[in-house]
Amino acid sequence: MHAPVDHFRPLAGRSAWLLTTGAAGMDVQTRGLADALGLSYTLKPIAPKGIYKLLSPWGPVAASERFGEAGAAFAPPWPQVAIALGRTSVPYLRALRRHSPATFTILMLDTRAGTGAADVIWVPQHDRLRGENVIITLTSPHSFTPTRIEALRRTMPDEIAALSGPRVAVVLGGRNGSYKFTAGDDARLAASLSSLGALGVSFMITPSRRTHHRLFNVTEEATRPFPRILWDGDGPNPYPDFLAHADMFVVTGDSVNMTGEAAATGRPVLVFHPSGGSAKFRRFHRALEAYGATRELPERVDRLPPWSYEPLHAAETIAREVERRWLARGCVHP
Protein backbone atom coordinates (compact mmCIF):
# COMPACT_ATOMS: atom_id res chain seq x y z
CA MET A 1 0.00 0.00 0.00
CA HIS A 2 2.98 2.33 0.31
CA ALA A 3 4.03 3.91 -2.96
CA PRO A 4 7.21 5.82 -3.68
CA VAL A 5 6.81 9.56 -4.06
CA ASP A 6 9.86 10.38 -6.22
CA HIS A 7 8.86 9.56 -9.79
CA PHE A 8 7.61 11.07 -13.04
CA ARG A 9 4.15 12.57 -12.58
CA PRO A 10 2.43 12.89 -15.97
CA LEU A 11 -0.54 14.84 -14.58
CA ALA A 12 1.51 17.36 -12.60
CA GLY A 13 0.45 20.92 -13.30
CA ARG A 14 -2.62 19.98 -15.31
CA SER A 15 -5.85 21.84 -14.59
CA ALA A 16 -8.50 20.12 -12.52
CA TRP A 17 -11.89 20.67 -10.93
CA LEU A 18 -12.78 19.11 -7.58
CA LEU A 19 -16.52 18.52 -7.33
CA THR A 20 -17.94 17.96 -3.82
CA THR A 21 -20.55 19.49 -1.54
CA GLY A 22 -17.72 21.18 0.34
CA ALA A 23 -18.03 18.98 3.44
CA ALA A 24 -14.67 18.78 5.23
CA GLY A 25 -14.43 14.98 5.02
CA MET A 26 -15.07 15.07 1.27
CA ASP A 27 -12.59 17.83 0.55
CA VAL A 28 -9.89 16.01 2.52
CA GLN A 29 -10.19 13.04 0.16
CA THR A 30 -10.40 14.88 -3.17
CA ARG A 31 -7.61 17.32 -2.28
CA GLY A 32 -5.43 14.50 -0.98
CA LEU A 33 -5.66 12.75 -4.34
CA ALA A 34 -5.24 15.98 -6.32
CA ASP A 35 -2.11 16.85 -4.34
CA ALA A 36 -0.67 13.36 -4.89
CA LEU A 37 -1.20 13.81 -8.64
CA GLY A 38 0.32 17.29 -8.58
CA LEU A 39 -2.75 18.84 -10.19
CA SER A 40 -3.43 22.57 -10.35
CA TYR A 41 -6.97 22.42 -9.06
CA THR A 42 -9.98 24.61 -8.42
CA LEU A 43 -12.62 23.73 -5.85
CA LYS A 44 -16.06 23.61 -7.48
CA PRO A 45 -18.59 23.20 -4.65
CA ILE A 46 -21.96 21.77 -5.59
CA ALA A 47 -25.25 22.25 -3.75
CA PRO A 48 -28.13 20.49 -5.52
CA LYS A 49 -31.48 21.06 -3.89
CA GLY A 50 -34.94 19.51 -3.84
CA ILE A 51 -35.75 17.02 -6.53
CA TYR A 52 -32.27 17.34 -8.07
CA LYS A 53 -30.66 16.22 -4.83
CA LEU A 54 -33.16 13.40 -4.39
CA LEU A 55 -32.62 12.13 -7.94
CA SER A 56 -28.83 11.98 -7.61
CA PRO A 57 -26.89 10.18 -8.98
CA TRP A 58 -29.29 9.39 -11.84
CA GLY A 59 -30.98 12.74 -12.44
CA PRO A 60 -29.76 15.84 -14.29
CA VAL A 61 -28.15 19.05 -13.12
CA ALA A 62 -30.75 21.75 -12.47
CA ALA A 63 -31.35 24.05 -15.44
CA SER A 64 -30.77 26.99 -13.10
CA GLU A 65 -27.09 25.99 -12.92
CA ARG A 66 -26.71 27.07 -16.60
CA PHE A 67 -24.06 24.36 -16.95
CA GLY A 68 -21.71 25.20 -19.81
CA GLU A 69 -22.95 28.75 -20.33
CA ALA A 70 -20.61 31.73 -20.20
CA GLY A 71 -20.50 33.28 -16.75
CA ALA A 72 -21.89 30.20 -14.99
CA ALA A 73 -20.02 28.39 -12.20
CA PHE A 74 -19.44 25.43 -14.53
CA ALA A 75 -18.26 26.84 -17.83
CA PRO A 76 -15.20 26.80 -20.12
CA PRO A 77 -12.28 26.66 -20.02
CA TRP A 78 -12.90 23.02 -19.20
CA PRO A 79 -10.44 21.21 -16.92
CA GLN A 80 -8.08 18.53 -18.11
CA VAL A 81 -9.01 16.38 -15.08
CA ALA A 82 -12.08 16.28 -12.84
CA ILE A 83 -12.30 14.57 -9.45
CA ALA A 84 -15.79 14.14 -8.03
CA LEU A 85 -16.89 12.55 -4.77
CA GLY A 86 -20.30 11.31 -3.68
CA ARG A 87 -23.60 10.61 -5.41
CA THR A 88 -24.68 14.25 -5.71
CA SER A 89 -21.56 14.99 -7.76
CA VAL A 90 -22.41 12.44 -10.45
CA PRO A 91 -24.90 14.59 -12.44
CA TYR A 92 -22.26 17.35 -12.61
CA LEU A 93 -19.60 14.89 -13.73
CA ARG A 94 -21.96 13.51 -16.36
CA ALA A 95 -22.71 17.01 -17.67
CA LEU A 96 -19.00 17.82 -17.77
CA ARG A 97 -18.26 14.70 -19.80
CA ARG A 98 -20.92 15.71 -22.34
CA HIS A 99 -19.49 19.21 -22.73
CA SER A 100 -15.82 18.17 -22.57
CA PRO A 101 -15.21 14.55 -23.64
CA ALA A 102 -11.44 15.14 -23.38
CA THR A 103 -11.63 15.73 -19.62
CA PHE A 104 -10.26 12.74 -17.73
CA THR A 105 -12.78 11.94 -14.98
CA ILE A 106 -12.22 10.34 -11.58
CA LEU A 107 -15.13 9.43 -9.32
CA MET A 108 -14.61 8.62 -5.66
CA LEU A 109 -16.77 6.18 -3.63
CA ASP A 110 -19.50 3.81 -4.76
CA THR A 111 -22.27 6.20 -5.80
CA ARG A 112 -24.43 3.40 -7.25
CA ALA A 113 -24.06 5.02 -10.65
CA GLY A 114 -22.12 2.03 -12.01
CA THR A 115 -18.65 1.71 -13.45
CA GLY A 116 -19.48 3.80 -16.52
CA ALA A 117 -19.89 6.99 -14.50
CA ALA A 118 -16.21 8.00 -14.90
CA ASP A 119 -12.97 7.01 -16.58
CA VAL A 120 -11.60 5.80 -13.24
CA ILE A 121 -13.45 5.11 -10.00
CA TRP A 122 -11.86 4.75 -6.57
CA VAL A 123 -13.57 2.94 -3.72
CA PRO A 124 -12.34 1.88 -0.30
CA GLN A 125 -12.20 -1.88 0.14
CA HIS A 126 -15.31 -1.87 2.34
CA ASP A 127 -17.42 -0.56 -0.58
CA ARG A 128 -18.83 -3.26 -2.86
CA LEU A 129 -18.24 -1.79 -6.33
CA ARG A 130 -15.79 -3.72 -8.49
CA GLY A 131 -14.80 -3.44 -12.15
CA GLU A 132 -12.00 -3.02 -14.68
CA ASN A 133 -11.75 0.73 -14.06
CA VAL A 134 -12.15 0.52 -10.28
CA ILE A 135 -9.19 1.19 -7.96
CA ILE A 136 -9.41 -0.24 -4.44
CA THR A 137 -7.47 0.66 -1.29
CA LEU A 138 -7.90 -0.16 2.40
CA THR A 139 -8.04 3.47 3.52
CA SER A 140 -9.17 6.77 2.04
CA PRO A 141 -6.87 9.39 0.51
CA HIS A 142 -5.86 12.37 2.63
CA SER A 143 -3.22 15.09 2.74
CA PHE A 144 -0.75 13.37 5.10
CA THR A 145 1.66 12.08 2.49
CA PRO A 146 4.93 10.34 3.41
CA THR A 147 6.77 13.56 2.54
CA ARG A 148 4.54 15.68 4.77
CA ILE A 149 4.77 13.31 7.73
CA GLU A 150 8.55 13.14 7.36
CA ALA A 151 8.76 16.95 7.27
CA LEU A 152 6.59 17.26 10.38
CA ARG A 153 8.77 14.76 12.23
CA ARG A 154 11.90 16.82 11.62
CA THR A 155 10.74 19.48 14.10
CA MET A 156 8.99 18.71 17.37
CA PRO A 157 7.09 21.61 18.97
CA ASP A 158 8.34 22.48 22.46
CA GLU A 159 4.97 21.68 24.01
CA ILE A 160 5.11 18.13 22.67
CA ALA A 161 8.80 17.70 23.47
CA ALA A 162 7.98 18.54 27.09
CA LEU A 163 5.68 15.51 27.35
CA SER A 164 7.15 12.27 28.65
CA GLY A 165 6.99 9.27 26.37
CA PRO A 166 5.34 7.26 25.18
CA ARG A 167 2.96 9.87 23.77
CA VAL A 168 -0.57 8.74 22.92
CA ALA A 169 -2.62 10.84 20.49
CA VAL A 170 -6.34 10.64 21.26
CA VAL A 171 -8.44 11.56 18.23
CA LEU A 172 -12.11 12.07 19.08
CA GLY A 173 -14.95 11.82 16.62
CA GLY A 174 -18.58 11.77 17.64
CA ARG A 175 -22.11 10.79 16.75
CA ASN A 176 -23.05 10.19 13.15
CA GLY A 177 -25.64 8.21 11.24
CA SER A 178 -24.06 4.91 12.29
CA TYR A 179 -22.66 5.39 15.80
CA LYS A 180 -24.67 6.47 18.85
CA PHE A 181 -22.04 7.27 21.50
CA THR A 182 -24.25 6.51 24.49
CA ALA A 183 -23.35 7.63 28.01
CA GLY A 184 -22.09 4.09 28.60
CA ASP A 185 -19.87 4.30 25.52
CA ASP A 186 -18.33 7.54 26.71
CA ALA A 187 -17.70 6.01 30.13
CA ARG A 188 -15.98 3.00 28.54
CA LEU A 189 -13.63 5.27 26.65
CA ALA A 190 -12.86 7.23 29.80
CA ALA A 191 -12.01 4.00 31.65
CA SER A 192 -9.68 2.92 28.85
CA LEU A 193 -7.88 6.26 28.86
CA SER A 194 -7.49 6.17 32.65
CA SER A 195 -5.89 2.74 32.45
CA LEU A 196 -3.54 3.94 29.72
CA GLY A 197 -2.53 6.92 31.82
CA ALA A 198 -1.71 4.62 34.72
CA LEU A 199 0.88 2.91 32.51
CA GLY A 200 2.89 6.12 32.38
CA VAL A 201 1.89 7.57 29.02
CA SER A 202 1.22 11.21 28.20
CA PHE A 203 -1.70 12.34 26.06
CA MET A 204 -2.19 14.60 23.05
CA ILE A 205 -5.94 15.05 22.61
CA THR A 206 -7.89 16.65 19.79
CA PRO A 207 -11.67 16.67 19.21
CA SER A 208 -13.41 17.04 15.87
CA ARG A 209 -16.43 19.04 14.77
CA ARG A 210 -18.71 16.15 15.70
CA THR A 211 -17.37 15.63 19.22
CA HIS A 212 -20.23 16.13 21.67
CA HIS A 213 -19.75 17.88 24.99
CA ARG A 214 -20.12 14.78 27.16
CA LEU A 215 -17.44 12.88 25.24
CA PHE A 216 -15.06 15.82 25.47
CA ASN A 217 -15.78 16.28 29.19
CA VAL A 218 -15.24 12.63 30.17
CA THR A 219 -12.01 12.58 28.16
CA GLU A 220 -10.84 15.74 29.88
CA GLU A 221 -11.63 14.30 33.31
CA ALA A 222 -10.06 10.89 32.63
CA THR A 223 -6.77 12.37 31.41
CA ARG A 224 -6.52 15.27 33.89
CA PRO A 225 -4.17 13.42 36.30
CA PHE A 226 -1.64 12.73 33.55
CA PRO A 227 0.74 14.80 31.40
CA ARG A 228 -1.19 16.02 28.38
CA ILE A 229 -1.99 18.56 25.71
CA LEU A 230 -5.74 19.04 25.30
CA TRP A 231 -6.84 21.14 22.35
CA ASP A 232 -10.15 22.83 23.17
CA GLY A 233 -10.78 24.43 19.80
CA ASP A 234 -8.98 27.67 20.59
CA GLY A 235 -6.24 28.53 18.10
CA PRO A 236 -4.77 26.31 15.38
CA ASN A 237 -5.47 22.61 15.70
CA PRO A 238 -2.19 20.83 16.62
CA TYR A 239 -3.49 17.62 15.04
CA PRO A 240 -0.81 17.45 12.29
CA ASP A 241 1.96 17.55 14.91
CA PHE A 242 0.09 15.04 17.07
CA LEU A 243 -0.11 12.73 14.06
CA ALA A 244 3.60 13.04 13.35
CA HIS A 245 4.92 12.67 16.90
CA ALA A 246 2.57 10.19 18.56
CA ASP A 247 4.00 6.82 19.57
CA MET A 248 0.51 5.33 19.64
CA PHE A 249 -3.04 6.36 18.78
CA VAL A 250 -6.48 6.00 20.29
CA VAL A 251 -9.07 6.80 17.62
CA THR A 252 -12.84 6.57 17.84
CA GLY A 253 -14.12 4.22 15.16
CA ASP A 254 -16.77 6.51 13.69
CA SER A 255 -14.44 8.08 11.11
CA VAL A 256 -12.81 6.29 8.20
CA ASN A 257 -10.68 9.38 7.55
CA MET A 258 -9.31 9.71 11.09
CA THR A 259 -8.47 6.03 11.34
CA GLY A 260 -6.85 6.06 7.93
CA GLU A 261 -4.73 9.09 8.75
CA ALA A 262 -3.43 7.42 11.90
CA ALA A 263 -2.63 4.32 9.84
CA ALA A 264 -0.41 6.45 7.59
CA THR A 265 2.13 6.71 10.42
CA GLY A 266 3.07 3.05 10.90
CA ARG A 267 2.42 3.50 14.63
CA PRO A 268 -0.02 1.32 16.65
CA VAL A 269 -3.67 2.40 16.41
CA LEU A 270 -6.15 1.35 19.09
CA VAL A 271 -9.73 1.82 17.86
CA PHE A 272 -12.58 2.56 20.25
CA HIS A 273 -15.89 1.12 18.99
CA PRO A 274 -19.02 2.94 20.21
CA SER A 275 -22.49 1.40 20.08
CA GLY A 276 -24.04 1.04 16.66
CA GLY A 277 -21.98 0.91 13.51
CA SER A 278 -22.83 -0.49 10.10
CA ALA A 279 -21.81 -3.31 7.80
CA LYS A 280 -19.49 -0.93 5.91
CA PHE A 281 -17.76 0.25 9.06
CA ARG A 282 -17.37 -3.31 10.29
CA ARG A 283 -15.78 -4.38 6.99
CA PHE A 284 -13.43 -1.40 7.15
CA HIS A 285 -12.26 -2.08 10.70
CA ARG A 286 -11.91 -5.83 10.12
CA ALA A 287 -9.72 -5.15 7.08
CA LEU A 288 -7.44 -2.76 8.98
CA GLU A 289 -7.10 -5.24 11.84
CA ALA A 290 -6.27 -8.02 9.37
CA TYR A 291 -3.64 -5.79 7.76
CA GLY A 292 -2.07 -5.24 11.18
CA ALA A 293 -2.55 -1.48 11.51
CA THR A 294 -5.21 -1.46 14.23
CA ARG A 295 -6.48 -3.36 17.23
CA GLU A 296 -9.59 -2.86 19.32
CA LEU A 297 -9.14 -0.67 22.40
CA PRO A 298 -9.82 -2.78 25.51
CA GLU A 299 -11.81 -1.27 28.36
CA ARG A 300 -8.77 -1.76 30.55
CA VAL A 301 -5.31 -1.55 29.03
CA ASP A 302 -2.86 -3.48 31.22
CA ARG A 303 0.20 -3.16 28.97
CA LEU A 304 1.32 -1.15 25.98
CA PRO A 305 1.13 -3.49 23.00
CA PRO A 306 3.94 -2.55 20.59
CA TRP A 307 3.54 -3.50 16.96
CA SER A 308 4.41 -2.06 13.59
CA TYR A 309 3.23 -2.27 10.00
CA GLU A 310 3.91 -0.70 6.63
CA PRO A 311 2.19 2.72 6.65
CA LEU A 312 -0.89 3.03 4.47
CA HIS A 313 -0.79 5.89 1.95
CA ALA A 314 -3.94 5.54 -0.14
CA ALA A 315 -3.57 8.86 -2.00
CA GLU A 316 -0.16 7.82 -3.33
CA THR A 317 -1.39 4.37 -4.30
CA ILE A 318 -4.47 5.74 -6.10
CA ALA A 319 -2.45 8.45 -7.83
CA ARG A 320 0.08 6.01 -9.24
CA GLU A 321 -2.72 3.82 -10.62
CA VAL A 322 -4.55 6.83 -12.10
CA GLU A 323 -1.31 7.87 -13.82
CA ARG A 324 -0.79 4.37 -15.20
CA ARG A 325 -4.28 4.34 -16.68
CA TRP A 326 -3.89 7.87 -18.04
CA LEU A 327 -0.68 6.90 -19.85
CA ALA A 328 -2.10 3.57 -21.04
CA ARG A 329 -4.98 5.39 -22.70
CA GLY A 330 -2.61 7.81 -24.40
CA CYS A 331 -4.52 10.76 -22.95
CA VAL A 332 -3.61 14.02 -24.63
CA HIS A 333 -5.17 17.34 -23.72
CA PRO A 334 -4.04 20.73 -24.97
Side-chain angles (χ1 to χ4, degrees), residues 177-189:
S178 297
Y179 288 101
K180 299 177 181 178
F181 279 94
T182 65
D185 293 333
D186 293 354
R188 282 195 297 113
L189 177 59

Side-chain angles (χ1 to χ4, degrees), residues 205-207 216 230-235 238:
I205 306 161
T206 179
F216 182 84
L230 176 65
W231 186 63
D232 61 3
D234 186 25

Side-chain angles (χ1 to χ4, degrees), residues 67-119:
F67 201 105
E69 297 181 19
F74 303 94
W78 302 115
Q80 295 169 283
V81 179
I83 302 176
L85 188 147
R87 66 180 183 84
T88 56
S89 73
V90 174
Y92 294 82
L93 198 64
R94 188 183 301 120
L96 175 60
R97 297 179 87 189
R98 285 198 303 270
H99 283 87
S100 178
T103 297
F104 188 78
T105 53
I106 303 166
L107 181 61
M108 303 178 75
L109 301 181
D110 182 2
T111 63
R112 300 187 180 181
T115 57
D119 293 306

Side-chain angles (χ1 to χ4, degrees), residues 242-294:
F242 289 179
L243 197 72
H245 297 293
D247 299 301
M248 180 178 292
F249 293 85
V250 171
V251 181
T252 58
D254 53 283
S255 171
V256 168
N257 284 345
M258 293 190 317
T259 310
E261 287 170 355
T265 67
R267 307 282 167 79
V269 183
L270 293 169
V271 179
F272 172 74
H273 296 283
S275 298
S278 67
K280 274 191 177 184
F281 271 109
R282 284 189 286 274
R283 289 196 297 271
F284 169 69
H285 288 300
R286 281 199 299 267
L288 275 188
E289 287 185 14
Y291 179 79
T294 68

Side-chain angles (χ1 to χ4, degrees), residues 120-151:
V120 174
I121 300 174
W122 164 79
V123 297
Q125 185 171 299
H126 56 276
D127 273 359
R128 295 298 198 188
L129 184 68
R130 299 291 185 268
E132 288 295 322
N133 65 330
V134 179
I135 301 169
I136 303 162
T137 59
L138 275 176
T139 57
S140 301
H142 51 75
S143 63
F144 291 99
T145 63
T147 301
R148 185 181 179 192
I149 292 174
E150 181 182 349

Side-chain angles (χ1 to χ4, degrees), residues 20 294-295:
T20 78
T294 68
R295 297 179 187 177

Side-chain angles (χ1 to χ4, degrees), residues 207-228:
S208 68
R209 295 175 184 178
R210 287 187 292 104
T211 303
H212 48 283
H213 290 299
R214 187 183 64 225
L215 180 61
F216 182 84
N217 290 339
V218 299
T219 300
E220 190 281 328
E221 183 177 356
T223 58
R224 193 183 304 159
F226 311 109
R228 69 178 184 183

